[in-house]
Amino acid sequence: MTVTPVASQEPADARGRVAELHTLRERARSGPGRRATEAQRAKGKLTARERLALLLDPGSFHEVEPLRRHRATGFGLEANRPYTDGVITGWGTVHGRTVFVYAHDFRIFGGALGEAHATKIHKIMDLAVQAGAPLVSLNDGAGARIQEGVTALAGYGGIFRRNAAASGVIPQISVMLGPCAGGAAYSPALTDFVFMVRDTAQMFLTGPDVVRAVTGEEISRDGLGGADVHAETSGVAHFAYDDEETCLEEVRYLLSLLPANNAEDPPDAGRGDPADRRCEALLDLVPANGRLPYDMRAVIEEIVDDGEVVEVHAAWAANVLCCLARLGGRTVGVLANQPQHLAGVLDARASEKAARFVQMCDAFNIPLVTLVDVPGFLPGVDQEHGGIIRHGAKLLYAYCAATVPRISVVLRKAYGGAYIVMDSESIGADLTYAWPTNEIAVMGAEGAAGVIFRKRIAEADDPEAMRARVVKEYRAELMHPYYAAERGLVDDVIDPAETRAVLIRSLAMLRTKRADPPARKHGNPPL
């Protein structure tokens, strides 16, 4: 859209200047015109300002640099200098708390990033860090503005550098509402959470045309980098939704669980759900037989306030659950094995998913509750060759380095190295509890007895009867529910129905926990 001056000569007085200002602001707010807006709606997408209205509290948005325009010349740009330059930046509130935002306007240059566009984003990112408030980006852009050449690429570099500098300082949330291709995809990947909308949002480094030219593979944009691909297969996206309205409402809810920055605690929502509420349903939800599966989500929902849970990466690495919820009105991170999927074992993807979640919680002062029911690490050539040792070490490192309050509860199985990695007392958990159904051991009774009493079994007249006998002996001597408690490896064996009350009391005691990590530039975690 070509924008011409409002008046051909200088206004005669202050009133005239104010009138001109309001005209310019209205042009900036209205965008490039009806045809561009209709094209946006035809794609099933809202406009940038409509998205901001859904995300932020009504009337709270304050725009920054609405009259900014690019200064590029050549390739037709000198005749097309729209206000905002294709990105709307500013701040507002979500549930009354300050949040900084930028939103690509796909109607202007396809949301492509140029020098002025990038500079606006840099400024709002700097303001977010200085003010100590979350940053939300609403992404709907076609990548770098080709007409501006290398200056557009440099603009992305400035965004990436600021993403890295803000990491662990303020929450950063990327909301994918349209295309995000090439180097532009690295900014969302550097942030804490990525939301995507099905059918309209895609992320990839090289598009279907390039893939076809280089590899000969035929694939659609959604098949290559759609919401479900990244939520289920790649793990790039933490959340996927069917429409923008639901997606943005869930962003608002996530923000209500997070602190404004790393120097604050998460907000206290108050105690509606009684802290001493007994959870009798847990006795039926979790079978005592360790071979039987169950849904750990139901356990978490029974324990936390009002059963409300935000599950992160719900569709990726489903054998471990990473959830944000409240206990006693305060945000907690709940990490749990999921016996309903792969028996709750840890594998490479689950370890990586859990490690990132632990790091995020630790960065933003969110206490960690770990619910353990793990038979071990997933065996197999693919896992070993795929680096299960390295990936498992990521989770181990994340827990060992975490300084927030940490409480673990062993529900049933806790075998071998996986038991240690799932925030055992030996790696620094502040408090560890167990249910009377717990089995904490190097391995299951059948496997352990088979190793220890191999010769005795082989020499017996009835090997199967002998095997059953020594398994029973091993279980009675080394795997009874109180073995770990007798040796101080768990702080108490608790009634499952009292789990919620025990956790809330323990977290209240740990609220003033202070850690003094050793002086160093930074650690060198396995990546």
mmCIF file with all atom_site columns, all heavy atoms in Angstrom, residues 103-126:
data_model
loop_
_atom_site.group_PDB
_atom_site.id
_atom_site.type_symbol
_atom_site.label_atom_id
_atom_site.label_alt_id
_atom_site.label_comp_id
_atom_site.label_asym_id
_atom_site.label_entity_id
_atom_site.label_seq_id
_atom_site.pdbx_PDB_ins_code
_atom_site.Cartn_x
_atom_site.Cartn_y
_atom_site.Cartn_z
_atom_site.occupancy
_atom_site.B_iso_or_equiv
_atom_site.pdbx_formal_charge
_atom_site.auth_seq_id
_atom_site.auth_comp_id
_atom_site.auth_asym_id
_atom_site.auth_atom_id
_atom_site.pdbx_PDB_model_num
ATOM 1   N N   . ALA A 1 103 ? 3.437  -8.835  16.794 1.00 0.00 ? 103 ALA A N   1
ATOM 2   C CA  . ALA A 1 103 ? 2.569  -9.624  15.923 1.00 0.00 ? 103 ALA A CA  1
ATOM 3   C C   . ALA A 1 103 ? 2.846  -9.274  14.480 1.00 0.00 ? 103 ALA A C   1
ATOM 4   O O   . ALA A 1 103 ? 2.720  -8.105  14.083 1.00 0.00 ? 103 ALA A O   1
ATOM 5   C CB  . ALA A 1 103 ? 1.104  -9.366  16.259 1.00 0.00 ? 103 ALA A CB  1
ATOM 6   N N   . HIS A 1 104 ? 3.239  -10.276 13.699 1.00 0.00 ? 104 HIS A N   1
ATOM 7   C CA  . HIS A 1 104 ? 3.433  -10.049 12.267 1.00 0.00 ? 104 HIS A CA  1
ATOM 8   C C   . HIS A 1 104 ? 2.090  -9.768  11.597 1.00 0.00 ? 104 HIS A C   1
ATOM 9   O O   . HIS A 1 104 ? 1.096  -10.430 11.899 1.00 0.00 ? 104 HIS A O   1
ATOM 10  C CB  . HIS A 1 104 ? 4.057  -11.275 11.604 1.00 0.00 ? 104 HIS A CB  1
ATOM 11  C CG  . HIS A 1 104 ? 5.412  -11.620 12.130 1.00 0.00 ? 104 HIS A CG  1
ATOM 12  N ND1 . HIS A 1 104 ? 5.800  -12.894 12.437 1.00 0.00 ? 104 HIS A ND1 1
ATOM 13  C CD2 . HIS A 1 104 ? 6.477  -10.839 12.405 1.00 0.00 ? 104 HIS A CD2 1
ATOM 14  C CE1 . HIS A 1 104 ? 7.037  -12.892 12.875 1.00 0.00 ? 104 HIS A CE1 1
ATOM 15  N NE2 . HIS A 1 104 ? 7.473  -11.659 12.872 1.00 0.00 ? 104 HIS A NE2 1
ATOM 16  N N   . ASP A 1 105 ? 2.076  -8.809  10.698 1.00 0.00 ? 105 ASP A N   1
ATOM 17  C CA  . ASP A 1 105 ? 0.884  -8.501  9.910  1.00 0.00 ? 105 ASP A CA  1
ATOM 18  C C   . ASP A 1 105 ? 1.114  -9.044  8.505  1.00 0.00 ? 105 ASP A C   1
ATOM 19  O O   . ASP A 1 105 ? 1.785  -8.416  7.685  1.00 0.00 ? 105 ASP A O   1
ATOM 20  C CB  . ASP A 1 105 ? 0.638  -6.993  9.884  1.00 0.00 ? 105 ASP A CB  1
ATOM 21  C CG  . ASP A 1 105 ? -0.727 -6.646  9.303  1.00 0.00 ? 105 ASP A CG  1
ATOM 22  O OD1 . ASP A 1 105 ? -1.317 -7.490  8.601  1.00 0.00 ? 105 ASP A OD1 1
ATOM 23  O OD2 . ASP A 1 105 ? -1.205 -5.526  9.563  1.00 0.00 ? 105 ASP A OD2 1
ATOM 24  N N   . PHE A 1 106 ? 0.559  -10.211 8.227  1.00 0.00 ? 106 PHE A N   1
ATOM 25  C CA  . PHE A 1 106 ? 0.804  -10.877 6.946  1.00 0.00 ? 106 PHE A CA  1
ATOM 26  C C   . PHE A 1 106 ? 0.271  -10.067 5.774  1.00 0.00 ? 106 PHE A C   1
ATOM 27  O O   . PHE A 1 106 ? 0.716  -10.241 4.631  1.00 0.00 ? 106 PHE A O   1
ATOM 28  C CB  . PHE A 1 106 ? 0.149  -12.269 6.959  1.00 0.00 ? 106 PHE A CB  1
ATOM 29  C CG  . PHE A 1 106 ? 0.588  -13.165 5.836  1.00 0.00 ? 106 PHE A CG  1
ATOM 30  C CD1 . PHE A 1 106 ? 1.749  -13.902 5.930  1.00 0.00 ? 106 PHE A CD1 1
ATOM 31  C CD2 . PHE A 1 106 ? -0.170 -13.258 4.673  1.00 0.00 ? 106 PHE A CD2 1
ATOM 32  C CE1 . PHE A 1 106 ? 2.164  -14.724 4.892  1.00 0.00 ? 106 PHE A CE1 1
ATOM 33  C CE2 . PHE A 1 106 ? 0.229  -14.080 3.622  1.00 0.00 ? 106 PHE A CE2 1
ATOM 34  C CZ  . PHE A 1 106 ? 1.405  -14.812 3.743  1.00 0.00 ? 106 PHE A CZ  1
ATOM 35  N N   . ARG A 1 107 ? -0.646 -9.144  6.038  1.00 0.00 ? 107 ARG A N   1
ATOM 36  C CA  . ARG A 1 107 ? -1.220 -8.339  4.956  1.00 0.00 ? 107 ARG A CA  1
ATOM 37  C C   . ARG A 1 107 ? -0.210 -7.353  4.384  1.00 0.00 ? 107 ARG A C   1
ATOM 38  O O   . ARG A 1 107 ? -0.408 -6.819  3.285  1.00 0.00 ? 107 ARG A O   1
ATOM 39  C CB  . ARG A 1 107 ? -2.439 -7.581  5.476  1.00 0.00 ? 107 ARG A CB  1
ATOM 40  C CG  . ARG A 1 107 ? -3.557 -8.467  6.022  1.00 0.00 ? 107 ARG A CG  1
ATOM 41  C CD  . ARG A 1 107 ? -4.632 -7.642  6.672  1.00 0.00 ? 107 ARG A CD  1
ATOM 42  N NE  . ARG A 1 107 ? -4.104 -6.837  7.756  1.00 0.00 ? 107 ARG A NE  1
ATOM 43  C CZ  . ARG A 1 107 ? -4.749 -5.835  8.337  1.00 0.00 ? 107 ARG A CZ  1
ATOM 44  N NH1 . ARG A 1 107 ? -5.960 -5.502  7.912  1.00 0.00 ? 107 ARG A NH1 1
ATOM 45  N NH2 . ARG A 1 107 ? -4.207 -5.155  9.323  1.00 0.00 ? 107 ARG A NH2 1
ATOM 46  N N   . ILE A 1 108 ? 0.874  -7.091  5.118  1.00 0.00 ? 108 ILE A N   1
ATOM 47  C CA  . ILE A 1 108 ? 1.894  -6.143  4.671  1.00 0.00 ? 108 ILE A CA  1
ATOM 48  C C   . ILE A 1 108 ? 3.173  -6.912  4.363  1.00 0.00 ? 108 ILE A C   1
ATOM 49  O O   . ILE A 1 108 ? 3.786  -7.502  5.249  1.00 0.00 ? 108 ILE A O   1
ATOM 50  C CB  . ILE A 1 108 ? 2.155  -5.074  5.746  1.00 0.00 ? 108 ILE A CB  1
ATOM 51  C CG1 . ILE A 1 108 ? 0.890  -4.249  5.984  1.00 0.00 ? 108 ILE A CG1 1
ATOM 52  C CG2 . ILE A 1 108 ? 3.323  -4.176  5.352  1.00 0.00 ? 108 ILE A CG2 1
ATOM 53  C CD1 . ILE A 1 108 ? 1.007  -3.247  7.123  1.00 0.00 ? 108 ILE A CD1 1
ATOM 54  N N   . PHE A 1 109 ? 3.549  -6.947  3.114  1.00 0.00 ? 109 PHE A N   1
ATOM 55  C CA  . PHE A 1 109 ? 4.749  -7.663  2.658  1.00 0.00 ? 109 PHE A CA  1
ATOM 56  C C   . PHE A 1 109 ? 4.756  -9.127  3.102  1.00 0.00 ? 109 PHE A C   1
ATOM 57  O O   . PHE A 1 109 ? 5.823  -9.724  3.300  1.00 0.00 ? 109 PHE A O   1
ATOM 58  C CB  . PHE A 1 109 ? 6.027  -6.984  3.176  1.00 0.00 ? 109 PHE A CB  1
ATOM 59  C CG  . PHE A 1 109 ? 6.229  -5.570  2.731  1.00 0.00 ? 109 PHE A CG  1
ATOM 60  C CD1 . PHE A 1 109 ? 6.560  -4.577  3.648  1.00 0.00 ? 109 PHE A CD1 1
ATOM 61  C CD2 . PHE A 1 109 ? 6.078  -5.214  1.401  1.00 0.00 ? 109 PHE A CD2 1
ATOM 62  C CE1 . PHE A 1 109 ? 6.743  -3.265  3.236  1.00 0.00 ? 109 PHE A CE1 1
ATOM 63  C CE2 . PHE A 1 109 ? 6.263  -3.900  0.979  1.00 0.00 ? 109 PHE A CE2 1
ATOM 64  C CZ  . PHE A 1 109 ? 6.597  -2.923  1.910  1.00 0.00 ? 109 PHE A CZ  1
ATOM 65  N N   . GLY A 1 110 ? 3.560  -9.705  3.279  1.00 0.00 ? 110 GLY A N   1
ATOM 66  C CA  . GLY A 1 110 ? 3.500  -11.086 3.720  1.00 0.00 ? 110 GLY A CA  1
ATOM 67  C C   . GLY A 1 110 ? 4.126  -11.304 5.081  1.00 0.00 ? 110 GLY A C   1
ATOM 68  O O   . GLY A 1 110 ? 4.532  -12.423 5.427  1.00 0.00 ? 110 GLY A O   1
ATOM 69  N N   . GLY A 1 111 ? 4.191  -10.236 5.897  1.00 0.00 ? 111 GLY A N   1
ATOM 70  C CA  . GLY A 1 111 ? 4.816  -10.341 7.212  1.00 0.00 ? 111 GLY A CA  1
ATOM 71  C C   . GLY A 1 111 ? 6.320  -10.503 7.153  1.00 0.00 ? 111 GLY A C   1
ATOM 72  O O   . GLY A 1 111 ? 6.957  -10.805 8.172  1.00 0.00 ? 111 GLY A O   1
ATOM 73  N N   . ALA A 1 112 ? 6.909  -10.297 5.974  1.00 0.00 ? 112 ALA A N   1
ATOM 74  C CA  . ALA A 1 112 ? 8.354  -10.498 5.813  1.00 0.00 ? 112 ALA A CA  1
ATOM 75  C C   . ALA A 1 112 ? 9.141  -9.463  6.603  1.00 0.00 ? 112 ALA A C   1
ATOM 76  O O   . ALA A 1 112 ? 8.738  -8.306  6.734  1.00 0.00 ? 112 ALA A O   1
ATOM 77  C CB  . ALA A 1 112 ? 8.733  -10.430 4.329  1.00 0.00 ? 112 ALA A CB  1
ATOM 78  N N   . LEU A 1 113 ? 10.287 -9.881  7.093  1.00 0.00 ? 113 LEU A N   1
ATOM 79  C CA  . LEU A 1 113 ? 11.106 -9.046  7.969  1.00 0.00 ? 113 LEU A CA  1
ATOM 80  C C   . LEU A 1 113 ? 12.136 -8.247  7.179  1.00 0.00 ? 113 LEU A C   1
ATOM 81  O O   . LEU A 1 113 ? 12.914 -8.810  6.408  1.00 0.00 ? 113 LEU A O   1
ATOM 82  C CB  . LEU A 1 113 ? 11.807 -9.934  9.002  1.00 0.00 ? 113 LEU A CB  1
ATOM 83  C CG  . LEU A 1 113 ? 12.707 -9.248  10.026 1.00 0.00 ? 113 LEU A CG  1
ATOM 84  C CD1 . LEU A 1 113 ? 12.532 -9.871  11.402 1.00 0.00 ? 113 LEU A CD1 1
ATOM 85  C CD2 . LEU A 1 113 ? 14.184 -9.366  9.600  1.00 0.00 ? 113 LEU A CD2 1
ATOM 86  N N   . GLY A 1 114 ? 12.112 -6.913  7.393  1.00 0.00 ? 114 GLY A N   1
ATOM 87  C CA  . GLY A 1 114 ? 13.132 -6.026  6.852  1.00 0.00 ? 114 GLY A CA  1
ATOM 88  C C   . GLY A 1 114 ? 13.832 -5.298  7.989  1.00 0.00 ? 114 GLY A C   1
ATOM 89  O O   . GLY A 1 114 ? 13.619 -5.598  9.167  1.00 0.00 ? 114 GLY A O   1
ATOM 90  N N   . GLU A 1 115 ? 14.640 -4.313  7.658  1.00 0.00 ? 115 GLU A N   1
ATOM 91  C CA  . GLU A 1 115 ? 15.429 -3.608  8.676  1.00 0.00 ? 115 GLU A CA  1
ATOM 92  C C   . GLU A 1 115 ? 14.545 -2.929  9.719  1.00 0.00 ? 115 GLU A C   1
ATOM 93  O O   . GLU A 1 115 ? 14.740 -3.104  10.923 1.00 0.00 ? 115 GLU A O   1
ATOM 94  C CB  . GLU A 1 115 ? 16.331 -2.572  8.003  1.00 0.00 ? 115 GLU A CB  1
ATOM 95  C CG  . GLU A 1 115 ? 17.166 -1.779  9.003  1.00 0.00 ? 115 GLU A CG  1
ATOM 96  C CD  . GLU A 1 115 ? 17.867 -0.595  8.358  1.00 0.00 ? 115 GLU A CD  1
ATOM 97  O OE1 . GLU A 1 115 ? 17.383 -0.114  7.315  1.00 0.00 ? 115 GLU A OE1 1
ATOM 98  O OE2 . GLU A 1 115 ? 18.883 -0.150  8.915  1.00 0.00 ? 115 GLU A OE2 1
ATOM 99  N N   . ALA A 1 116 ? 13.564 -2.113  9.271  1.00 0.00 ? 116 ALA A N   1
ATOM 100 C CA  . ALA A 1 116 ? 12.707 -1.394  10.217 1.00 0.00 ? 116 ALA A CA  1
ATOM 101 C C   . ALA A 1 116 ? 11.858 -2.370  11.033 1.00 0.00 ? 116 ALA A C   1
ATOM 102 O O   . ALA A 1 116 ? 11.680 -2.206  12.249 1.00 0.00 ? 116 ALA A O   1
ATOM 103 C CB  . ALA A 1 116 ? 11.810 -0.409  9.470  1.00 0.00 ? 116 ALA A CB  1
ATOM 104 N N   . HIS A 1 117 ? 11.333 -3.390  10.373 1.00 0.00 ? 117 HIS A N   1
ATOM 105 C CA  . HIS A 1 117 ? 10.538 -4.438  11.005 1.00 0.00 ? 117 HIS A CA  1
ATOM 106 C C   . HIS A 1 117 ? 11.347 -5.100  12.131 1.00 0.00 ? 117 HIS A C   1
ATOM 107 O O   . HIS A 1 117 ? 10.874 -5.246  13.264 1.00 0.00 ? 117 HIS A O   1
ATOM 108 C CB  . HIS A 1 117 ? 10.179 -5.456  9.909  1.00 0.00 ? 117 HIS A CB  1
ATOM 109 C CG  . HIS A 1 117 ? 9.307  -6.588  10.330 1.00 0.00 ? 117 HIS A CG  1
ATOM 110 N ND1 . HIS A 1 117 ? 8.086  -6.835  9.734  1.00 0.00 ? 117 HIS A ND1 1
ATOM 111 C CD2 . HIS A 1 117 ? 9.480  -7.577  11.229 1.00 0.00 ? 117 HIS A CD2 1
ATOM 112 C CE1 . HIS A 1 117 ? 7.559  -7.916  10.274 1.00 0.00 ? 117 HIS A CE1 1
ATOM 113 N NE2 . HIS A 1 117 ? 8.387  -8.393  11.187 1.00 0.00 ? 117 HIS A NE2 1
ATOM 114 N N   . ALA A 1 118 ? 12.585 -5.461  11.832 1.00 0.00 ? 118 ALA A N   1
ATOM 115 C CA  . ALA A 1 118 ? 13.450 -6.116  12.821 1.00 0.00 ? 118 ALA A CA  1
ATOM 116 C C   . ALA A 1 118 ? 13.788 -5.188  13.972 1.00 0.00 ? 118 ALA A C   1
ATOM 117 O O   . ALA A 1 118 ? 13.797 -5.597  15.139 1.00 0.00 ? 118 ALA A O   1
ATOM 118 C CB  . ALA A 1 118 ? 14.724 -6.612  12.155 1.00 0.00 ? 118 ALA A CB  1
ATOM 119 N N   . THR A 1 119 ? 14.050 -3.933  13.659 1.00 0.00 ? 119 THR A N   1
ATOM 120 C CA  . THR A 1 119 ? 14.416 -2.975  14.703 1.00 0.00 ? 119 THR A CA  1
ATOM 121 C C   . THR A 1 119 ? 13.284 -2.791  15.706 1.00 0.00 ? 119 THR A C   1
ATOM 122 O O   . THR A 1 119 ? 13.516 -2.654  16.911 1.00 0.00 ? 119 THR A O   1
ATOM 123 C CB  . THR A 1 119 ? 14.791 -1.621  14.071 1.00 0.00 ? 119 THR A CB  1
ATOM 124 O OG1 . THR A 1 119 ? 15.877 -1.822  13.156 1.00 0.00 ? 119 THR A OG1 1
ATOM 125 C CG2 . THR A 1 119 ? 15.222 -0.627  15.128 1.00 0.00 ? 119 THR A CG2 1
ATOM 126 N N   . LYS A 1 120 ? 12.049 -2.801  15.218 1.00 0.00 ? 120 LYS A N   1
ATOM 127 C CA  . LYS A 1 120 ? 10.903 -2.718  16.114 1.00 0.00 ? 120 LYS A CA  1
ATOM 128 C C   . LYS A 1 120 ? 10.851 -3.921  17.058 1.00 0.00 ? 120 LYS A C   1
ATOM 129 O O   . LYS A 1 120 ? 10.595 -3.783  18.260 1.00 0.00 ? 120 LYS A O   1
ATOM 130 C CB  . LYS A 1 120 ? 9.602  -2.641  15.305 1.00 0.00 ? 120 LYS A CB  1
ATOM 131 C CG  . LYS A 1 120 ? 9.379  -1.330  14.573 1.00 0.00 ? 120 LYS A CG  1
ATOM 132 C CD  . LYS A 1 120 ? 8.060  -1.327  13.813 1.00 0.00 ? 120 LYS A CD  1
ATOM 133 C CE  . LYS A 1 120 ? 6.858  -1.419  14.741 1.00 0.00 ? 120 LYS A CE  1
ATOM 134 N NZ  . LYS A 1 120 ? 5.575  -1.297  14.012 1.00 0.00 ? 120 LYS A NZ  1
ATOM 135 N N   . ILE A 1 121 ? 11.100 -5.103  16.520 1.00 0.00 ? 121 ILE A N   1
ATOM 136 C CA  . ILE A 1 121 ? 11.092 -6.317  17.353 1.00 0.00 ? 121 ILE A CA  1
ATOM 137 C C   . ILE A 1 121 ? 12.225 -6.267  18.369 1.00 0.00 ? 121 ILE A C   1
ATOM 138 O O   . ILE A 1 121 ? 12.044 -6.601  19.542 1.00 0.00 ? 121 ILE A O   1
ATOM 139 C CB  . ILE A 1 121 ? 11.175 -7.574  16.472 1.00 0.00 ? 121 ILE A CB  1
ATOM 140 C CG1 . ILE A 1 121 ? 9.922  -7.701  15.606 1.00 0.00 ? 121 ILE A CG1 1
ATOM 141 C CG2 . ILE A 1 121 ? 11.360 -8.826  17.333 1.00 0.00 ? 121 ILE A CG2 1
ATOM 142 C CD1 . ILE A 1 121 ? 9.956  -8.847  14.620 1.00 0.00 ? 121 ILE A CD1 1
ATOM 143 N N   . HIS A 1 122 ? 13.419 -5.836  17.919 1.00 0.00 ? 122 HIS A N   1
ATOM 144 C CA  . HIS A 1 122 ? 14.550 -5.726  18.845 1.00 0.00 ? 122 HIS A CA  1
ATOM 145 C C   . HIS A 1 122 ? 14.192 -4.829  20.027 1.00 0.00 ? 122 HIS A C   1
ATOM 146 O O   . HIS A 1 122 ? 14.492 -5.147  21.185 1.00 0.00 ? 122 HIS A O   1
ATOM 147 C CB  . HIS A 1 122 ? 15.769 -5.139  18.123 1.00 0.00 ? 122 HIS A CB  1
ATOM 148 C CG  . HIS A 1 122 ? 16.301 -6.000  17.026 1.00 0.00 ? 122 HIS A CG  1
ATOM 149 N ND1 . HIS A 1 122 ? 17.229 -5.552  16.111 1.00 0.00 ? 122 HIS A ND1 1
ATOM 150 C CD2 . HIS A 1 122 ? 16.045 -7.288  16.689 1.00 0.00 ? 122 HIS A CD2 1
ATOM 151 C CE1 . HIS A 1 122 ? 17.505 -6.518  15.265 1.00 0.00 ? 122 HIS A CE1 1
ATOM 152 N NE2 . HIS A 1 122 ? 16.804 -7.578  15.596 1.00 0.00 ? 122 HIS A NE2 1
ATOM 153 N N   . LYS A 1 123 ? 13.558 -3.715  19.726 1.00 0.00 ? 123 LYS A N   1
ATOM 154 C CA  . LYS A 1 123 ? 13.232 -2.758  20.785 1.00 0.00 ? 123 LYS A CA  1
ATOM 155 C C   . LYS A 1 123 ? 12.265 -3.360  21.794 1.00 0.00 ? 123 LYS A C   1
ATOM 156 O O   . LYS A 1 123 ? 12.449 -3.214  23.012 1.00 0.00 ? 123 LYS A O   1
ATOM 157 C CB  . LYS A 1 123 ? 12.642 -1.477  20.193 1.00 0.00 ? 123 LYS A CB  1
ATOM 158 C CG  . LYS A 1 123 ? 12.259 -0.462  21.269 1.00 0.00 ? 123 LYS A CG  1
ATOM 159 C CD  . LYS A 1 123 ? 11.947 0.899   20.690 1.00 0.00 ? 123 LYS A CD  1
ATOM 160 C CE  . LYS A 1 123 ? 11.685 1.896   21.812 1.00 0.00 ? 123 LYS A CE  1
ATOM 161 N NZ  . LYS A 1 123 ? 11.511 3.276   21.322 1.00 0.00 ? 123 LYS A NZ  1
ATOM 162 N N   . ILE A 1 124 ? 11.232 -4.055  21.303 1.00 0.00 ? 124 ILE A N   1
ATOM 163 C CA  . ILE A 1 124 ? 10.238 -4.577  22.232 1.00 0.00 ? 124 ILE A CA  1
ATOM 164 C C   . ILE A 1 124 ? 10.828 -5.726  23.037 1.00 0.00 ? 124 ILE A C   1
ATOM 165 O O   . ILE A 1 124 ? 10.471 -5.933  24.213 1.00 0.00 ? 124 ILE A O   1
ATOM 166 C CB  . ILE A 1 124 ? 8.948  -4.993  21.484 1.00 0.00 ? 124 ILE A CB  1
ATOM 167 C CG1 . ILE A 1 124 ? 7.713  -4.734  22.351 1.00 0.00 ? 124 ILE A CG1 1
ATOM 168 C CG2 . ILE A 1 124 ? 8.966  -6.427  21.030 1.00 0.00 ? 124 ILE A CG2 1
ATOM 169 C CD1 . ILE A 1 124 ? 7.448  -3.296  22.656 1.00 0.00 ? 124 ILE A CD1 1
ATOM 170 N N   . MET A 1 125 ? 11.746 -6.486  22.452 1.00 0.00 ? 125 MET A N   1
ATOM 171 C CA  . MET A 1 125 ? 12.421 -7.549  23.203 1.00 0.00 ? 125 MET A CA  1
ATOM 172 C C   . MET A 1 125 ? 13.294 -6.946  24.303 1.00 0.00 ? 125 MET A C   1
ATOM 173 O O   . MET A 1 125 ? 13.316 -7.450  25.438 1.00 0.00 ? 125 MET A O   1
ATOM 174 C CB  . MET A 1 125 ? 13.260 -8.413  22.266 1.00 0.00 ? 125 MET A CB  1
ATOM 175 C CG  . MET A 1 125 ? 12.448 -9.205  21.250 1.00 0.00 ? 125 MET A CG  1
ATOM 176 S SD  . MET A 1 125 ? 13.475 -10.189 20.125 1.00 0.00 ? 125 MET A SD  1
ATOM 177 C CE  . MET A 1 125 ? 13.880 -11.587 21.196 1.00 0.00 ? 125 MET A CE  1
ATOM 178 N N   . ASP A 1 126 ? 14.006 -5.881  23.985 1.00 0.00 ? 126 ASP A N   1
ATOM 179 C CA  . ASP A 1 126 ? 14.835 -5.209  24.989 1.00 0.00 ? 126 ASP A CA  1
ATOM 180 C C   . ASP A 1 126 ? 13.978 -4.647  26.119 1.00 0.00 ? 126 ASP A C   1
ATOM 181 O O   . ASP A 1 126 ? 14.328 -4.748  27.302 1.00 0.00 ? 126 ASP A O   1
ATOM 182 C CB  . ASP A 1 126 ? 15.651 -4.093  24.342 1.00 0.00 ? 126 ASP A CB  1
ATOM 183 C CG  . ASP A 1 126 ? 16.727 -4.618  23.403 1.00 0.00 ? 126 ASP A CG  1
ATOM 184 O OD1 . ASP A 1 126 ? 17.102 -5.800  23.526 1.00 0.00 ? 126 ASP A OD1 1
ATOM 185 O OD2 . ASP A 1 126 ? 17.187 -3.843  22.547 1.00 0.00 ? 126 ASP A OD2 1
#
